Amino acid sequence: MQLAVSTWQEVEDYLRGSAGIVVPIGSVEQHGPNGLIGTDHLCAEVVARGVGDATGAAVAPTLAYGMSQHHLGFAGSVTLRPSTLMLVVRDVVQSLAVHGFRRFFFINGHGGNVATVTAAFDELYAAQSLGDGGVPVQCRMAFWSGPRCKAISEELYPGVEGRHATASEVSLAQFYQSRHIKHAQMSPKVAPSFPQFFDAADYRARYADGRIGSDPSLSSPEHGKRLYEAAVLDMTDAYKAFLNY
Ligand code: NI
């Protein structure tokens, strides 16, 4: 059940049977020569909606913007500061908690969100533990590509999945947004990979076209369909396990 296309009465009915909700979260940032700016939030969104269809879970509107400061050297990228994103997560969770939602399952499409969103969860728990107010909630975050997806990635893109603008996420976005498939030469074919990067200027200097360690010229919407079906199964398992935890 997508919140965005439900009425408040439908949400009230839902809350009589479940306190769980799926929250897709991603980023607005460059994804190399053939990856869409919205790749991370589009991937999280399509998988979250699939989990909603499979389980009947409520699915919140996508939190499109994430912590992407290192991508600001590339046009179209937008970041929330970590402190801003933590407040966004807190206010979204606490707003929904007012109505009775208690279990928040974030499906994430962007590795750069993990530290910040995890810290936001800890702020919520700290407020509960210290008696500073707020409704007690429980939150979990999972990256959309679970074990089934990893097996497909290893089969399709051995050694060249990479860490940013990955072949898998580009394929999944091509499946979801099939009218917006881009074609580009990759040079070098497999992007470089370093252990660490710092700010936007440093990132741009290390990764000339924005990719890290990937070859998304291998991506296709057919691969994306396989990854989508696997991801929905992976995340459905993870959501059900969270509700039963
Ligand atoms: Ni990404």
Side-chain angles (χ1 to χ4, degrees), residues 181-198:
I181 294 173
K182 317 288 181 178
H183 300 280
Q185 289 290 331
M186 301 291 158
S187 179
K189 187 162 163 54
V190 180
S193 188
F194 299 97
Q196 191 181 4
F197 50 78
F198 301 95

Side-chain angles (χ1 to χ4, degrees), residues 27 29 31 39-40 109-110 143 163-166 169:
S27 73
E29 68 186 34
H31 271 76
T39 296
D40 288 345
H110 176 45
F143 202 82
R163 292 193 292 125
H164 180 67
T166 68
E169 65 181 345

Side-chain angles (χ1 to χ4, degrees), residues 25-232:
I25 185 168
S27 73
V28 176
E29 68 186 34
Q30 67 80 20
H31 271 76
N34 70 339
L36 307 180
I37 299 280
T39 296
D40 288 345
H41 75 258
L42 293 169
C43 288
E45 178 173 279
V46 70
V47 173
R49 289 181 180 181
V51 172
D53 291 344
T55 65
V59 180
T62 303
L63 298 178
Y65 295 101
M67 210 303 287
S68 304
Q69 63 78 17
H70 46 296
H71 292 287
L72 289 187
F74 299 86
S77 301
V78 176
T79 193
L80 301 181
R81 292 168 197 266
S83 52
T84 308
L85 179 56
M86 288 171 68
L87 295 178
V88 169
V89 169
R90 183 193 70 183
D91 287 357
V92 169
V93 167
Q94 283 293 308
S95 296
L96 292 165
V98 166
H99 310 301
F101 289 101
R102 293 291 180 271
R103 294 271 178 138
F104 294 81
F105 186 72
F106 282 66
I107 294 182
N108 181 33
H110 176 45
N113 287 339
V114 173
T116 301
V117 174
T118 303
F121 294 167
D122 281 332
E123 285 283 0
L124 287 164
Y125 306 145
Q128 294 161 204
S129 300
L130 290 164
D132 288 351
V135 180
V137 293
Q138 295 180 332
C139 306
R140 184 172 288 177
M141 184 160 67
F143 202 82
W144 63 262
S145 59
R148 291 177 182 86
C149 291
K150 288 193 175 65
I152 293 172
S153 162
E154 283 165 14
E155 172 202 327
L156 295 175
Y157 319 119
V160 296
E161 165 76 356
R163 292 193 292 125
H164 180 67
T166 68
S168 288
E169 65 181 345
V170 171
S171 288
L172 181 56
Q174 287 182 347
F175 165 69
Y176 185 29
Q177 296 292 329
S178 56
R179 292 167 53 218
H180 302 286
I181 294 173
K182 317 288 181 178
H183 300 280
Q185 289 290 331
M186 301 291 158
S187 179
K189 187 162 163 54
V190 180
S193 188
F194 299 97
Q196 191 181 4
F197 50 78
F198 301 95
D199 63 5
D202 176 74
Y203 186 103
R204 178 81 199 229
R206 292 178 193 277
Y207 305 110
D209 70 6
R211 296 174 293 147
I212 303 180
S214 65
D215 179 10
S217 70
L218 301 173
S219 299
S220 75
E222 292 76 22
H223 292 174
K225 182 170 189 293
R226 284 184 64 189
L227 287 160
Y228 168 76
E229 289 165 355
V232 169

